[in-house]
Structures are given as structure tokens and as C-alpha cells.
Amino acid sequence: CALHAGDEKPFRQYPEFPEVLYYEGFEASAHAWKNGKVEIDPVNPRNHCYKLELAQHNNDKCVTAHVDLPLNIPGGINTSDVHIQVSLWADNNVAEMWVKLKNHDYEDKPRPSKFGQWVPMPLPLTGFTKDRKSPPRDANLRVLELTIKPKAKDKPLNAYLDDVIITAGLRGADA
């Protein structure tokens, strides 16, 4: 379909891979990401990742990070085709985790399956809900936010992100 005056051109980070809507591997500075910093990977010192920063969330000390995405999610794409995947490394002090797509505050609450190692966390867009409804195709979700609450309030929680990917038509693990 042709773009009309004033229409936003679809963002394609990698024109040669149109299925990849967004990717961040944190190998360079990640200026768009907030509430954290790029650090050396706790498992592989040759790589970099993003350490989540301490913050308050509902009177609890949590760790969090967020990014202002350069595109609207789902941006007219069928929501069942949009998948988000993050690789997470967290110590064993995780009680709860929230992943939000903001502007309309759609939320998913994934549970990490393992600790002290990198774990891919697939987050299909249809798993995000607000008032028990998934985002519609015309939603304009521009902020991705991750927050993790510790089990033990007196122990620090260390959590890192790597390889954040948003795809259309592919599940994150297939990309």
C-alpha cells in the first residue's frame, strides 16, 4: 500500500531481514535503553550485556530497565505474528517479573525457568494483556519495560539482558 502525506514509514532496522523489527545485542553503547548500563557479560567476558538498575516499584526495591522503541508495536501487524524475546541472566533472588509494553500498559508476567545462566524468554505479543485483552493491531506501543522484584529484600538482585529481539512472522528462537 502506498504511503500518504503524513504517514510514518515503517521502521526496518535490518532491511535485508524484514522479519526483524528490532534487535539490541548491547555490544556497543545502548543509548535508547534507560535504568541500567552496558557491562561485561557475567558468563562470557568477551561479550557485553545490559545490567538492570535498582529502582522503586510499588514500595518494593526492584531492578528495572526500559527502552523507547523506534517503532510502534504491533504497528498494524497481526498480533499473533509479533514475538519478543529477551535473554535473561538473573541470580536466584527473583520473586516476580513484569514485562510491559507501554502507552496502553499491556503486561506479561513471565517466570524465569533457570537462574545463574542465560535463559531465552519468549514473549509472544498475544501473551501481553490489559483488562484480559491482547493489544489490537492498531495499538501504538512504544516503550518496552522489564522489572524484576527480589525474593529477599535484604539481598541485592543482579539481573542482565542480552539479545532483545522483536520479530514479525518468526518466533524469537527462529530468528
Side-chain angles (χ1 to χ4, degrees), residues 3 20 35-36 47 50 52 78 98 115 120 143 147 156:
L3 292 177
V20 177
N35 296 85
N47 293 332
Y50 197 78
L52 282 68
N78 195 353
W98 302 269
F115 301 100
V143 177
T147 305

Side-chain angles (χ1 to χ4, degrees), residues 56-123:
Q56 286 291 118
H57 180 77
N58 296 338
N59 297 324
D60 290 315
K61 287 186 178 180
C62 297
V63 292
T64 188
H66 74 272
V67 63
D68 294 325
L69 296 167
L71 70 159
N72 289 321
I73 299 294
I77 298 170
N78 195 353
T79 55
S80 62
D81 290 337
V82 179
H83 297 272
I84 301 169
Q85 180 171 295
V86 301
S87 292
L88 176 73
W89 186 100
D91 57 25
N92 202 15
N93 194 19
V94 173
E96 288 182 85
M97 179 175 178
W98 302 269
V99 182
K100 285 188 176 186
L101 286 168
K102 289 196 168 188
N103 209 14
H104 296 96
D105 292 328
Y106 288 91
E107 180 178 82
D108 192 0
K109 290 186 174 183
R111 300 256 180 232
S113 59
K114 297 178 184 173
F115 301 100
Q117 63 184 8
W118 286 106
V119 177
M121 303 209 46
L123 305 163

Side-chain angles (χ1 to χ4, degrees), residues 19-35:
E19 300 87 3
V20 177
L21 302 177
Y22 175 81
Y23 174 76
E24 179 59 70
F26 303 108
E27 290 305 316
S29 60
H31 296 292
W33 282 81
K34 308 289 184 237
N35 296 85

